[in-house]
Every structure is written in C-alpha cells, then in structure tokens.
Amino acid sequence: MSKAPRPPLRLGSTLLHMALLGSFGLVLISLLLGWLGLGIGLTLVLGLGLIFLAGLLYTIFGISRLEVLRISGLYDIEVAPLVWRARRREGFGEYVRSLGRNVANGRMWAAMGSFVFSCFAGGFMLGALQWTIHSLIVAFAPLTGVDTVTGPFSIVTKASQAPWLLLVAVAGAAVVVGLAFLHRIVTMGIIGSLTRETELTERVRTTAAQREGAVRAAEVERTRIERDLHDGVQPRLVSVAMTLGLAHQQIDSNPQQAKELVAEAHASTKSAITELRQLTRGIYASVLDDRGLDAALSAVAGRSHIPVELDVQLNGRYPRVTEAAMYFSIAEALTNAAKHSRAQRCLVTVRLRETNGQHSLWARIEDNGVGGARITPGGGLDGITNRVVAAGGTISLDSPQGGPTALEVNVPCAY
C-alpha cells in the first residue's frame, strides 16, 4: 500500500501566516474575549446578552471555517469544510436547538483552538524575530567604532560582546524556524484529526447507505419474485393440477378426453418450467459464472423486445458482486425501456474506467423513447439504484420529457 504524500513544508508561507496572525490575531482574540464578557454581563439584564452570545457563536464559526481553509490550503491537505448545523424544522425553539448543536460541534472548537495557537505562536515568533534583528544590528554596530546603547534592556555593546550577540541572533533565528515547524506539527495534528474524523464519518455514511440499499434491493427483489410467482407460475401450476384432476376423473369413462387433458397438463408443465427458469435467471444468471459479463449481456440483448446495440469492451473477469450489479442494472433498464419508453432502439455501452487509481465498471444505457423516466419507490429504477448503491456504486439518470433517456451506472471493482 502506497503512503500518502507528505504535505509541503512551505516555511516562508508559514512564517508569513504566523506574522499576520501574531499581529492581528491576538487583537481579534482580545476582542472576542471582550465580546464574551459583554455577552455574559448583559445576560443578567433581561437576557439581552444572549443576542451577543449568539453573534459570537456565528463569529467563532466563521473564524474556525477560515482556519480549516487556511491550513488545508497552506499544507495541501484535503479537509471537508465546516458546515453550519442548520435548523431541521421551522420555529424559534428549533433555532435555539440548532445553536446548541453548533455549540457542541467539536470540529469547530478544534479549528478555533488551532487558530488561537497559531496567533500566540505568531506573537512569540515576531518577538523572537525582533530580538534576532536587534541583536544583529547591535552586534555589527561596533564595526563603525561607536558604542551603542539600545534595546529594551539597555544593552551596552562593545566590540568584545559582538560574538555573543551573534550567538543570540542565531538562537533567535532557530526559535523562529522552530516555531514555524511547531506551528506545522500542531495545526496539522488538529486539522488532520478533523480530516480523519471526516473520512470516518463519510465511511460510516457510505456503509449505512450501502446497507440500506442492500436491504431495499432485497425487499424489492423479494416482492418481484412473489409477484412473478403469484401472477405467473402459481396460476399455471394450479391449472395443471385441475387439468390432471379432470383427467383422473375421466380416465375410465372417457380415455380419449383424459389423454387430451394429460397432454394439456404436460404442455402447461413445460411452460411453468420455462417460467421458473426465467424467474431463476432473474435472481442470478448462471451465464455470469460460466462465461462472464459480456456473454450475459449478449443473452439479455437477444431476449429484449426492442433492438439493442451492445458496445462492450472488457478484459477478463471481475468480482462477482460487481458483475452481478452491472448485469441486473442493464437487464432491468432494458426491461423498463421495453415497458414504458416506447423506444425503437437502445444503445448499451460498457467500459472499464480508472479514476485516481481506482477501477470501476461503467455502463450507459440510452434509448430514443419518450423520456420522462423518474426514480419512484418500488419501481424498476429504484431497484437498480438500491442494487448499485449496495455494491458501492453510483447511478445517474437523464430523462427529459420527449427523450432520450440515458442511465449511467458506475460500480467499483478490484482489478
């Protein structure tokens, strides 16, 4: 597994950021503390301070958001921006609850902590830089033959003291550089933890969506199987049983009629077997295991009620989950097109794609029908969506009124 690239040092940019924060950031922190004190004090006066505290919360959130953007831009790290936790419903009570949710936003306070640290580190850095420059000026002053009294500590410099002042200047420069590296370590640690938290949150959200999609896909599939059994195979088997019952009654009195009934039952049984095979093919196509996705899609195109043009360019085999998700998505899309689109033709394109080192199977199913397709709960497109999401993929539908309809499916795979 390849390691993630190390963020750039950018020492000059870091020093510039620290200088600006050390100059103006400390003043801003002082203003915020005064704002906080004013809000707390005015809270005792008819609760007016709560308005000031709410404004302070918005200000802190804005500063924290800018801090995340600053560090991510300075060191080239990917961090999801802070998002204000807005009201979920209307009403003043919900607004107050939304403020409470933002007060409890740990990412905001972590970013604010990074800002406060950067301001104080910048202030110390400016002090060290000032002392370094001062020491250099005083150290080289004796070269002009003039004794100098200068600086906040009234240092009297003579030529014999110059080497010591140079050491002080070097130490000051080392402190400046060290503070820059410390700023990088601390802020990267804080904002980097936000990155890991964001990644974990996104992973949990994706896993939950996949699990929900798998459950919904299984439910839709179960409903479809029940419907097909109830509407197709079950009535045919009942008819076979009734026909055999009539034949049994007439086998002695009317053998010829009984033979005809048995022949009818035999034909119905073969039709039921064919329907069961089609039903099991809808659950999982064995040709996928035997010959792969390309051959399975050719079989689907051959059974389609509308002409299908296949453009499949694949190499080898892919994970079973990926092939199954892609197969059933295309098969269901063609079924929907045949039922609803009134299309005259359909084009299916399948490719292997690579994005950021990750391989995925991509398919586009396009028909020249009337358009207006929508994803509705329990519908065919909803089933495709659930199956694709369960496999970790994505789906995109473009179906304006009047057509054409284009469905794009992207399913990740290990290749």
Side-chain angles (χ1 to χ4, degrees):
M1 181 182 294
S2 60
K3 295 183 178 180
R6 290 176 58 86
L9 293 177
R10 294 183 176 173
L11 184 60
S13 298
T14 301
L15 291 176
L16 178 59
H17 279 227
M18 295 177 66
L20 292 175
L21 291 174
S23 301
F24 303 104
L26 293 176
V27 176
L28 179 58
I29 291 175
S30 300
L31 293 176
L32 292 177
L33 291 175
W35 193 344
L36 176 63
L38 178 63
I40 294 175
L42 290 179
T43 301
L44 303 177
V45 183
L46 300 177
L48 296 177
L50 295 177
I51 300 176
F52 286 87
L53 294 178
L56 178 62
L57 179 61
Y58 281 105
T59 304
I60 291 176
F61 175 82
I63 294 173
S64 301
R65 183 181 174 88
L66 291 176
E67 176 68 8
V68 171
L69 296 176
R70 182 182 74 87
I71 298 301
S72 62
L74 179 60
Y75 297 121
D76 278 346
I77 57 176
E78 295 184 2
V79 186
L82 288 177
V83 177
W84 180 263
R85 297 176 178 178
R87 290 182 291 178
R88 299 170 182 171
R89 294 180 299 273
E90 296 297 328
F92 180 74
E94 179 60 26
Y95 173 74
V96 174
R97 282 189 288 271
S98 72
L99 292 179
R101 287 193 294 269
N102 285 283
V103 170
N105 188 350
R107 297 186 70 226
M108 180 187 71
W109 294 112
M112 189 64 190
S114 173
F115 172 78
V116 172
F117 168 80
S118 299
C119 291
F120 280 100
F124 283 117
M125 187 274 294
L126 287 177
L129 182 62
Q130 181 181 4
W131 180 253
T132 300
I133 296 174
H134 170 266
S135 299
L136 288 174
I137 293 176
V138 175
F140 286 102
L143 298 179
T144 63
V146 180
D147 287 342
T148 307
V149 179
T150 183
F153 300 102
S154 299
I155 300 176
V156 179
T157 306
K158 296 182 180 179
S160 60
Q161 296 176 308
W164 298 102
L165 290 174
L166 289 176
L167 290 177
V168 171
V170 171
V175 170
V176 171
V177 175
L179 285 172
F181 279 98
L182 181 63
H183 171 273
R184 180 179 185 273
I185 293 172
V186 173
T187 56
M188 282 284 295
I190 296 175
I191 305 302
S193 66
L194 300 184
T195 304
R196 291 187 292 272
E197 178 186 348
T198 302
E199 291 175 351
L200 290 175
T201 303
E202 181 63 21
R203 189 177 304 172
V204 170
R205 188 197 65 80
T206 301
T207 302
Q210 291 179 353
R211 183 172 61 250
E212 181 182 357
V215 171
R216 293 179 60 192
E219 180 65 22
V220 170
E221 190 70 12
R222 183 186 64 81
T223 304
R224 184 187 66 82
I225 294 172
E226 290 179 351
R227 183 182 65 247
D228 291 344
L229 287 174
H230 183 271
D231 297 341
V233 179
Q234 180 179 331
R236 193 173 296 277
L237 291 177
V238 171
S239 176
V240 169
M242 293 176 63
T243 302
L244 290 175
L246 292 174
H248 182 266
Q249 294 175 3
Q250 298 183 18
I251 195 169
D252 294 327
S253 61
N254 192 349
Q256 184 61 33
Q257 183 67 26
K259 288 181 179 180
E260 294 177 359
L261 291 173
V262 170
E264 181 182 344
H266 180 257
S268 296
T269 302
K270 290 193 295 185
S271 298
I273 292 174
T274 301
E275 290 185 11
L276 283 174
R277 286 176 178 172
Q278 293 176 350
L279 181 60
T280 56
R281 188 183 294 116
I283 298 174
Y284 188 77
S286 59
V287 69
L288 274 176
D289 287 333
D290 299 336
R291 299 173 56 192
L293 183 60
D294 195 352
L297 292 179
S298 298
V300 170
R303 296 193 303 268
S304 176
H305 296 291
I306 58 176
V308 176
E309 179 183 349
L310 277 178
D311 182 11
V312 181
Q313 297 182 15
L314 300 176
N315 298 318
R317 300 299 303 272
Y318 306 93
R320 180 175 180 177
V321 174
T322 302
E323 288 189 341
M326 186 60 67
Y327 169 81
F328 285 110
S329 298
I330 295 175
E332 185 65 30
L334 292 177
T335 300
N336 284 348
K339 288 182 178 179
H340 309 295
S341 70
R342 300 200 294 272
Q344 301 301 316
R345 63 177 179 82
C346 187
L347 173 63
V348 177
T349 306
V350 183
R351 296 287 188 273
L352 177 68
R353 287 186 167 183
E354 181 180 359
T355 305
N356 298 327
Q358 301 294 325
H359 290 86
S360 62
L361 287 183
W362 171 85
R364 179 181 175 88
I365 306 96
E366 184 175 0
D367 65 64
N368 62 345
V370 297
R374 296 293 181 268
I375 299 177
T376 57
L381 292 176
D382 185 49
I384 295 175
T385 303
N386 295 330
R387 190 181 290 271
V388 171
V389 170
T394 57
I395 184 173
S396 174
L397 175 65
D398 182 18
S399 182
Q401 290 292 340
T405 296
L407 178 69
E408 291 192 8
V409 177
N410 195 74
V411 183
C413 65
Y415 180 71

